[in-house]
Amino acid sequence: MLFNTAALASASLWRIVISFVLQVLIARQLGVAGLGQYTIALAYLNVSQVVVELGLPTLLVRELAQQPAQRLSYFQASWYFLFGLPRLLFIVTPALYLSFDFHPLD
């Protein structure tokens, strides 16, 4: 059990270090204005990911544990939900951006 804990802790630490290094490199490459736009894009991405998932992975695990025979129907429904809704957001988000006339660099 101690080995598993150490493995998880080291993986988490490694992820944090790599993330920090990448953020520094991205900031140096993009500059102040570009980093601001990148940060806004990541914020929208994180919020939309939460909205799109809506607890679906947890629901699937619970339902499949109770009814394994329904595996195919659950997979098909989740496939359409997880890949159809992001496509819709991909179309709607630029339209909203353009309709609000938001230009932070002007």
Side-chain angles (χ1 to χ4, degrees):
M1 185 160 132
L2 185 61
F3 177 75
N4 291 340
T5 303
L8 287 173
S10 65
S12 180
L13 181 63
W14 180 249
R15 181 184 52 82
I16 291 170
V17 168
I18 292 297
S19 177
F20 177 74
V21 169
L22 283 174
Q23 286 294 328
V24 168
L25 292 174
I26 289 170
R28 292 184 61 122
Q29 185 69 28
L30 294 179
V32 174
L35 182 62
Q37 290 177 340
Y38 175 75
T39 304
I40 290 172
L42 280 182
Y44 282 120
L45 177 69
N46 289 334
V47 169
S48 65
Q49 180 181 2
V50 170
V51 169
V52 166
E53 284 185 359
L54 291 173
L56 187 62
T58 306
L59 176 68
L60 281 175
V61 168
R62 186 184 72 210
E63 292 298 319
L64 286 173
Q66 292 175 356
Q67 300 173 350
Q70 299 294 325
R71 180 176 56 236
L72 182 61
S73 63
Y74 285 141
F75 177 74
Q76 289 173 340
S78 64
W79 180 267
Y80 292 126
F81 185 73
L82 288 175
F83 291 103
L85 191 58
R87 287 186 180 139
L88 177 66
L89 287 174
F90 185 74
I91 294 168
V92 170
T93 301
L96 287 174
Y97 174 80
L98 293 173
S99 67
F100 285 122
D101 195 34
F102 177 68
H103 302 288
L105 298 178
D106 292 341

